[in-house]
Every structure is written in structure tokens, then in C-alpha cells.
Amino acid sequence: MTEPQPGAGAVVAIRGAVIDVSFAAGDLPAINEALQITDPDMAPVTVEVQAHLDPVTVRTIALQATSGLKRGLPVRRAGGPLQVPVGDAVLGRLLNVTGDMGDGKPALGADVPRRSIHRAPPEFRAQAGASTIFQTGIKVIDLLTPLAQGGKAAMFGGAGVGKTVLVMELINAMVAGYQGISVFAGVGERSREGHEMLQDMTHAGVLDRTVLVYGQMNEPPGARWRVPMTALAISEYFRDEQHKNVLLLIDNVFRFVQAGAEVSGLLGRLPSRVGYQPTLASEVAALQERIASVGGAAVTAIEAVYVPADDFTDPAVMTIAAHVDSMVVLSRAMAADGMYPAIDPITSSSILLDPLVLGADHVQVANDVRRAIERYREMQDVIALLGMEELGRDDRQIVERARRLQRFLTQPFTVTEAFTGLPGRSVPVADTIAGCKAILAGECDDWDESSLYMIGNLQEGRDKEQAARASAQKGAA
């Protein structure tokens, strides 16, 4: 094998996604620097330096498929971390981790600005606090777990309880009222989901204000590991250079952690708790701490987080939860009961639920709703064993109102219209508070529970109840 030229290297070993590259002594690239392996018979492969093995060899992780590579291929240094295209040119486009287009449209020109995917988070003194509510039109979120403009919200849930549907609905809900830029990062997504997202965005007419960045399931772990960083680099450019608000949607953060664990294993690091990488906390922090409000413009993050085996004590879940402002917890039991969105009103929380931020009225109603539902859950075992008849009058009243509150907090979604046949609803927070107040005050005690299920505001339930009564009277006559 020929001695590598100064500034250039050569491949010395290939083990799947792990590639060792040799350089001239004393000329090693830095950690996180991007390298390109060139072969006249195939497209260049981008790799990222992860370790210095000795004075002449570095160990890298591939960000693209490595099939067809062989030892001795020349390696070119990029001179720094991976640079991806940013700015107006990427709006309406679908990119991969290295910034290449994946939508079949023409490639970007050479004059498009580029930014490094690795950046330090903004200084603490430069960051602005998140205290403005980000209204979604989803009753249970706006009432009990309000999202913060410039904050981080996470949807925690096991498999099949509705995380992706909820993220999709939030995208839909914000199309009308949100005038900023949306950046969607699909981490370990199925190709079907990416295709559907592209079609939905096109039909909704919002693709021109959206950037889609994907690292799919079939790609190497390095690609899935670095895809959120690519999306962040694009978001930071719009925030810092164009002073625009950015909505960053990540589905799924757990797969980012999972890809990091795969990379860690490939690099030969000893695993930590439950088999996760020893660098779990610092990797999650490197991602989450870059999401912030700076200079009047904000990056607001909404993240889906898979909870393995519904175990909320999992180290990855707990590490991610430590960074978020609003925790939206999805419950399998509620999903089984048909209470969609299956958001658990007891375990979900938000730092914005404060009288100084939302007003005393909102917080009082939210606490009363939680208290009623919690009391109902405490008595469920008694009800299952002895029946409602054995409860005292006050307890029975609380249980009946809690059941009505649970049904009132369900809502048909725009993204599920094709499956449910119900048009989606967006409810202002004032209507949600008024409806919950009325139920807590006993205005709906003589209503049928089904009149409050899958509706928008309380007036819709009132109309439904009146129609049901008229139909019953007609049938009796």
C-alpha cells in the first residue's frame, strides 16, 4: 500500500460501518471531521472521525452505505465537520443526512450557503425564556400540558399508542396559525412514512415553508445518529441568520439514542446501564441544548419519544425527559378504551402551567380536572368490585363528572378523517376551559356520556344531546 500523501489518507480496514483510515504521521483529522472516500466506480462515501487509534490511524463511522468499498481507496479531508445546505434553497425539499436531495428534483447549486452540523449551543445569557403559549387547538394539550414557544415538548409513548399521529396532527394544526418555518427530522423512519409525509405536505400547500430531513431505517446507524444534527443546522440558520421562528419536529428521538448505542457498540465501547452507550447523557444534551430562543427568534421543538416496553424508567426516556419543558405522556390503557388522543392527564405535565403565565382561571380548571380524574381512578377498583351503587352521593357525582371530562377531552383529528369519517376539530383554549368548567359545575350531569365523545366545543355536545333526546322522544311516540 502506498504511503498517504500529506492532507490525504487511505482506507486500511473496513468492518461494516466502521472504517479505519491512515494518514501521514502528525496529520490526523480532528474528532467529528468529515472525510470522503472516493472510488472511480461509485459515488463518494462520507465518513466521520470518531477516534484516534495511533499517530497515523483514525477510526471513522460511515454516514452512507459502505458496500463496494475496498482497502487502499484514497480518502479526502473536508477540512472540518460535515457541511449541509441551508437557507431558502432547501425549503420544500427532502434531504438526507449529508444534505443530498432525495425528492427527485434538481440538485442545489454551488452558491447555496452551507453550515456545519456540529455547533456549540447558544450561550446561556443569550437565550430568552420560554413563557408564551404555543396554541395547538388540541383540547387536552392546551389545557393540561401547554406547549411553550421556544420550548421543548416531548410525546412519550409505547408502540402503537399514537405518537406519530399526534405529531402529524400538530403539523396540521399549526399550518393555519403558524407562519414560521417547519423542519421535520425523520430519525429511523420507515420509507412509507416519509413518502406519506411528503404527499401530505404537498396537498396541504405548506411544503414551500417546510424542510424534510430523513435518515431512514435501512440506512447505517451513523446516518440515523447524525440526522437530527442536520435538521438542527438548518433550523439554526433560519433562527440566527434570517431571524425567523422555526418549528422543529423530530420523530423519533429514541431512535437517535438507539443509533448512538449501535455506533458505540461498533466502536468497541463498553455498554452502560441497560446496554446503552456510556455517552448517553452527553449525546442527548448535545442535541437538546441547541434548541433555544435567541435574539427574538425561537426554535420550538416537538419530539416523539418511543418508550420501550412502556417502561418510563428506561435510562434513555429519563435522560430525554430531563431536557423538556412539556411532557405529553400517552397511555396504552386510554388508547384501549378509545380515548383519543390517548394523553394521560395525570402523568403529563408542563412548566407553563403557572398562574403567572396562563392566569389563575386556566390553572384552577386544569387542577380541578386532574383532581376529578385522579379521584375516579382511585375508585375504579371499588366500582369494578361493587358497582357504582355502593359509592356515596358525592363520590358518584365526582366519578360521573370525571367520565364526562375524559370524553370531552377526546377530539377527532384532521389526519384521521379517512379512518374515522369525522372531520377534524381545532378548539380555542377559551372554549376548552369553558367546557370543562361547565362539566365540573354539573351542567352536563343529565347528559348521555356519548354526547361529549369526539366533539369540539361544548356547544357541539349540547346539539348532539338535544338531537339524541328529540330522536328518543320521536321513537317513544
Side-chain angles (χ1 to χ4, degrees):
M1 191 179 297
T2 57
E3 184 71 22
Q5 297 298 313
V11 174
V12 292
I14 303 168
R15 288 179 299 280
V18 178
I19 298 173
D20 293 348
V21 182
S22 70
F23 288 85
D27 192 33
L28 289 189
I31 301 293
N32 288 337
E33 185 171 331
L35 311 175
Q36 269 205 336
I37 302 171
T38 54
D39 184 342
D41 301 328
M42 58 187 288
V45 174
T46 303
V47 298
E48 189 178 84
V49 177
Q50 291 299 316
H52 292 170
L53 299 183
D54 58 45
V56 295
T57 315
V58 296
R59 180 155 288 168
T60 70
I61 282 288
L63 304 184
Q64 293 161 316
T66 58
S67 54
L69 293 182
K70 50 188 180 286
R71 287 187 295 173
L73 286 175
V75 178
R76 186 167 53 82
R77 291 176 62 167
L82 178 65
Q83 304 265 329
V84 294
V86 295
D88 294 337
V90 297
L91 290 173
R93 304 300 301 270
L94 189 149
L95 295 75
N96 64 12
V97 64
T98 56
D100 298 325
M101 297 300 127
D103 51 11
K105 296 177 186 174
L108 300 177
D111 57 339
V112 173
R114 289 179 173 264
R115 291 291 181 272
S116 163
I117 66 167
H118 294 286
R119 283 185 65 187
E123 287 187 14
F124 187 69
R125 63 184 174 187
Q127 295 183 26
S131 61
T132 307
I133 189 168
F134 198 83
Q135 296 204 19
T136 64
I138 298 171
K139 289 183 286 192
V140 65
I141 290 180
D142 287 345
L143 178 70
L144 299 173
T145 62
L147 310 187
Q149 177 92 35
K152 295 182 277 280
M155 318 288 169
F156 293 91
V161 294
K163 295 183 302 298
T164 299
V165 170
L166 194 54
V167 169
M168 291 287 289
E169 182 64 19
L170 284 165
I171 294 169
N172 259 287
M174 288 161 191
V175 165
Y178 185 79
Q179 295 305 311
I181 304 292
S182 297
V183 179
F184 181 88
V187 186
E189 290 281 87
R190 302 165 186 87
S191 55
R192 169 188 60 78
E193 292 172 332
H195 184 66
E196 285 176 3
M197 173 74 78
L198 190 59
Q199 284 189 321
D200 290 345
M201 292 282 191
T202 306
H203 294 155
V206 294
L207 195 61
D208 60 337
R209 287 190 282 124
T210 306
V211 186
L212 303 175
V213 189
Y214 277 91
Q216 292 175 186
M217 274 185 175
N218 62 330
E219 295 191 56
R224 289 177 272 123
W225 191 40
R226 289 309 190 206
V227 142
M229 303 302 187
T230 300
L232 265 173
I234 294 167
S235 303
E236 287 169 337
Y237 179 85
F238 285 117
R239 180 194 67 194
D240 299 339
E241 308 290 329
Q242 298 194 2
H243 308 291
K244 290 179 179 173
N245 288 331
V246 180
L247 176 63
L248 175 64
L249 301 126
I250 307 176
D251 187 7
N252 182 309
V253 182
F254 179 79
R255 293 199 193 113
F256 158 74
V257 171
Q258 216 170 21
E262 288 179 54
V263 168
S264 183
L266 289 169
L267 294 172
R269 295 179 188 143
L270 285 173
S272 182
R273 282 193 304 158
V274 200
Y276 286 110
Q277 61 269 45
T279 51
L280 172 64
S282 56
E283 283 177 19
V284 171
L287 174 71
Q288 300 285 359
E289 292 303 305
R290 285 169 65 180
I291 301 167
S293 302
V294 180
V299 174
T300 303
I302 294 172
E303 309 166 7
V305 183
Y306 167 67
V307 179
D310 290 344
D311 178 15
F312 284 87
T313 63
D314 185 86
V317 175
M318 293 179 73
T319 305
I320 295 163
H323 289 272
V324 300
D325 306 315
S326 301
M327 278 184 65
V328 179
V329 179
L330 290 118
S331 157
R332 190 170 298 282
M334 290 186 70
D337 289 342
M339 298 296 165
Y340 289 106
I343 294 169
D344 190 331
I346 308 303
T347 51
S348 301
S349 62
S350 170
I351 59 164
L352 250 68
L353 205 64
D354 185 306
L356 298 174
V357 178
L358 298 176
D361 194 38
H362 184 145
V363 175
Q364 182 65 47
V365 171
N367 289 338
D368 288 347
V369 167
R370 275 212 179 99
R371 204 173 290 119
I373 293 172
E374 199 163 12
R375 183 74 180 130
Y376 167 48
R377 287 189 182 176
E378 286 170 6
M379 290 188 282
Q380 272 181 321
D381 288 344
V382 175
I383 294 165
L385 288 168
L386 305 172
M388 286 276 285
E389 295 74 22
E390 295 302 314
L391 297 177
R393 189 168 63 89
D394 290 349
D395 283 345
R396 194 181 310 169
Q397 188 183 74
I398 288 171
V399 166
E400 287 171 351
R401 288 177 186 174
R403 286 175 63 87
R404 284 170 172 78
L405 283 167
Q406 279 190 331
R407 278 148 184 78
F408 178 63
L409 291 175
T410 61
Q411 189 169 340
F413 280 174
T414 305
V415 295
T416 57
E417 277 182 29
F419 312 110
T420 63
L422 298 169
R425 304 286 195 281
S426 178
V427 184
V429 69
D431 289 357
T432 303
I433 293 169
C436 290
K437 258 186 173 176
I439 294 168
L440 288 163
E443 285 182 33
C444 310
D445 284 358
D446 59 341
W447 291 17
D448 193 277
E449 287 179 5
S450 62
S451 297
L452 294 163
Y453 182 65
M454 285 291 167
I455 60 168
N457 57 28
L458 196 65
Q459 183 58 46
E460 201 177 320
R462 192 172 283 114
D463 296 343
K464 207 170 165 183
E465 176 69 15
Q466 286 170 358
R469 286 184 183 180
S471 176
Q473 286 169 0
K474 194 176 176 181

